[in-house]
Amino acid sequence: MSPKTEPDDLELLRAWQSGDGTAGDRLFQRHFDSVFRFFSGRLASANDVTDMVQKTFLACLESRDRWSSIERFRPFLLGVARNQLLMFLRYHQVRRGEQPHGSLQERWAASDAEGISMVAARRAEQRKLLVALRHLPLDLQITLELHYWEGFSTREIGEVMGISSATVKSRLVKARRLLDQQLGELPMPAGAAEVSLRQLGEWAVSIRGKVRE
């Protein structure tokens, strides 16, 4: 007897759409870490991270009328997470009376407050990478993280961001250039080895799944 194969995302999604709540639970458990990583890299408060993860899954549930058109669940889910993050930033922008046109996003990205991912960065050069990453505009941060942290293709990143694959490619080029520039401008922490953009991909593989530890 051949071993029972694990249902893929779309099979679980269709089962959930048909009323199988267990399928929905399995789907969220499968992708919880991706959503958690998405928020933990840019929100300093663990409570905010937990709240945003819950809001993302709730928003996904509330968009069930769109499920029939989904081709890949994880890019769809992280697209929902990105929308929730933008709403979160806009809320704080209005609440704090700050000027529109992305000023809060840029300030938030460049904040010195330690996000949860910073705590997971054990070596000084890893911390420098995260500080440099936070200095990039928000959508460039997301583009790099989806590529390195989640292993997304340009097509999948485009689905998250609502842009074409060609635009994703140009953003990756720009993001790498700006990150490399930031790495050159930031002071090197005491005792840190030289850090390069190449190390972002290497470290992303090692940190995957460790943020919640």
Side-chain angles (χ1 to χ4, degrees):
M1 179 181 297
S2 60
K4 186 177 180 180
T5 59
E6 182 72 12
D8 63 25
D9 285 352
L10 291 184
E11 289 173 330
L12 287 175
L13 185 62
R14 303 303 176 231
W16 188 25
Q17 196 171 19
S18 298
D20 184 351
T22 301
D25 290 341
R26 291 175 67 184
L27 199 56
F28 283 160
Q29 289 170 6
R30 181 178 291 180
H31 297 293
F32 180 91
D33 283 352
S34 291
V35 179
F36 190 93
R37 277 193 299 267
F38 181 85
F39 291 112
S40 67
R42 52 187 51 85
L43 300 180
S45 165
N47 289 335
D48 282 342
V49 171
T50 300
D51 184 52
M52 295 303 293
V53 170
Q54 292 174 346
K55 287 182 176 179
T56 296
F57 288 140
L58 178 60
C60 178
L61 178 60
E62 291 173 345
S63 65
R64 61 186 307 144
D65 59 327
R66 298 169 53 197
W67 290 355
S68 58
S69 63
I70 295 175
E71 296 181 4
R72 283 168 290 276
F73 180 72
R74 193 156 69 113
F76 170 78
L77 182 62
L78 288 178
V80 174
R82 174 177 174 269
N83 289 338
Q84 290 298 311
L85 177 65
L86 293 177
M87 286 191 289
F88 176 89
L89 293 174
R90 282 195 293 268
Y91 167 78
H92 283 277
Q93 189 175 65
V94 172
R95 185 181 181 186
R96 296 176 184 178
E98 302 201 8
Q99 294 298 315
H101 198 58
S103 60
L104 177 63
Q105 294 181 25
E106 294 172 3
R107 187 177 61 76
W108 202 284
S111 170
D112 289 331
E114 286 200 348
I116 296 172
S117 286
M118 186 66 81
V119 178
R122 303 301 182 189
R123 303 205 312 265
E125 55 267 30
Q126 294 172 348
R127 295 172 69 86
K128 183 178 179 180
L129 271 172
L130 283 176
V131 170
L133 188 62
R134 281 211 308 261
H135 279 72
L136 301 187
L138 181 61
D139 272 349
L140 293 186
Q141 290 183 53
I142 293 173
T143 300
L144 280 177
E145 290 176 13
L146 291 176
H147 178 71
Y148 287 110
W149 262 257
E150 306 303 329
F152 275 19
S153 67
T154 55
R155 180 180 178 183
E156 290 171 326
I157 295 172
E159 291 175 10
V160 174
M161 311 289 287
I163 56 179
S164 68
S165 294
T167 302
V168 172
K169 290 178 183 178
S170 65
R171 282 192 183 180
L172 280 171
V173 171
K174 180 179 181 180
R176 289 176 181 128
R177 175 174 54 80
L178 291 178
L179 183 61
D180 201 37
Q181 178 181 325
Q182 286 293 333
L183 287 171
E185 293 177 355
L186 289 173
M188 180 65 67
E194 283 298 321
V195 62
S196 68
L197 178 57
R198 177 182 56 83
Q199 291 173 267
L200 179 62
E202 296 173 353
W203 179 53
V205 172
S206 69
I207 198 177
R208 203 174 292 172
K210 296 182 180 180
V211 171
R212 286 192 290 161
E213 292 180 0

